[in-house]
Amino acid sequence: MANIHDNPNRDAWVKKIAAANTLADGVKLLTDFRAKHLSPFKTDFSLELDGQWIELKIEEKVALLKHKEFNDTQFLNNSATGENAQKVADAAVAKIDATTDMYEAERIHINFRLANKPPILPVNVFLDADRQLGTKLMELRNTDYYALPLEELRKVRGVKVITLQ
């Protein structure tokens, strides 16, 4: 009996994932996939049902490649791109601390998550930075977020209202 989760989308991605033989290939595949299919700014909606499953499989591959290519010290202290993980996190925190615009802060936080969510950064570094970014974002949002009338808020956020007849 066939598995109900088997489908052509997943089969195609399993082959792409298997072709990633280096950490650099895996990181590129994962970051490109997240930006194209999972971001709030995504450009492709074809994987709505399979996107998170595919992301999980790419993350598994990247984690295995990272374990294979890094020694213990690198594994715990470097991003999958080879950069110092704490410096990557500190740069994002400094960037969000420098802004007073909640929409810019949202973009910084979203882009940080897309580019650095584990296994790209070590979990301990990522979670602490994500907490700091989220705290700053909420501080910026909590100042009169709902002061704008709904129509103005939609305009500022670039919302397209779709009505069904």
Side-chain angles (χ1 to χ4, degrees):
M1 179 176 193
N3 184 331
I4 62 169
H5 299 292
D6 289 341
N7 67 50
N9 280 337
R10 290 182 181 191
D11 293 343
W13 276 96
V14 165
K15 290 175 185 170
K16 288 180 187 178
I17 295 165
N21 293 318
T22 66
L23 182 56
D25 291 343
V27 168
K28 179 163 178 30
L29 183 64
L30 180 56
T31 54
D32 289 351
F33 181 84
R34 285 176 175 164
K36 186 175 181 182
H37 297 284
L38 300 177
S39 162
F41 317 115
K42 64 185 162 190
T43 57
D44 187 329
F45 294 83
S46 65
L47 298 175
E48 287 294 302
L49 299 176
D50 298 313
Q52 291 183 330
W53 184 90
I54 294 166
E55 179 190 30
L56 164 75
K57 294 301 179 186
I58 302 171
E59 287 173 347
E60 287 175 352
K61 180 72 174 213
V62 170
L64 290 170
L65 291 167
K66 190 174 176 184
H67 182 265
K68 178 181 171 186
E69 294 185 23
F70 281 9
N71 64 35
D72 290 346
T73 303
Q74 291 171 313
F75 192 83
L76 295 173
N77 297 301
N78 290 3
S79 82
T81 61
E83 299 169 277
N84 179 291
Q86 193 60 57
K87 287 183 180 178
V88 171
D90 291 345
V93 171
K95 192 172 181 182
I96 205 168
D97 283 343
T99 189
T100 57
D101 178 32
M102 73 175 155
Y103 304 112
E104 177 63 21
E106 283 178 348
R107 188 169 286 279
I108 292 166
H109 197 182
I110 289 166
N111 288 335
F112 175 78
R113 285 180 171 174
L114 289 172
N116 297 297
K117 192 173 94 172
I120 304 296
L121 281 186
V123 173
N124 58 328
V125 175
F126 175 81
L127 290 178
D128 186 50
D130 193 58
R131 175 192 57 81
Q132 292 177 62
L133 295 171
T135 299
K136 175 67 176 188
L137 176 58
M138 293 313 297
E139 288 170 357
L140 292 172
R141 279 184 177 163
N142 284 338
T143 306
D144 294 329
Y145 184 69
Y146 293 107
L148 289 175
L150 181 59
E151 291 305 316
E152 285 183 45
L153 184 59
R154 286 178 174 161
K155 183 178 178 183
V156 169
R157 298 198 51 82
V159 172
K160 293 180 183 176
V161 178
I162 300 170
T163 56
L164 301 175
Q165 299 295 331

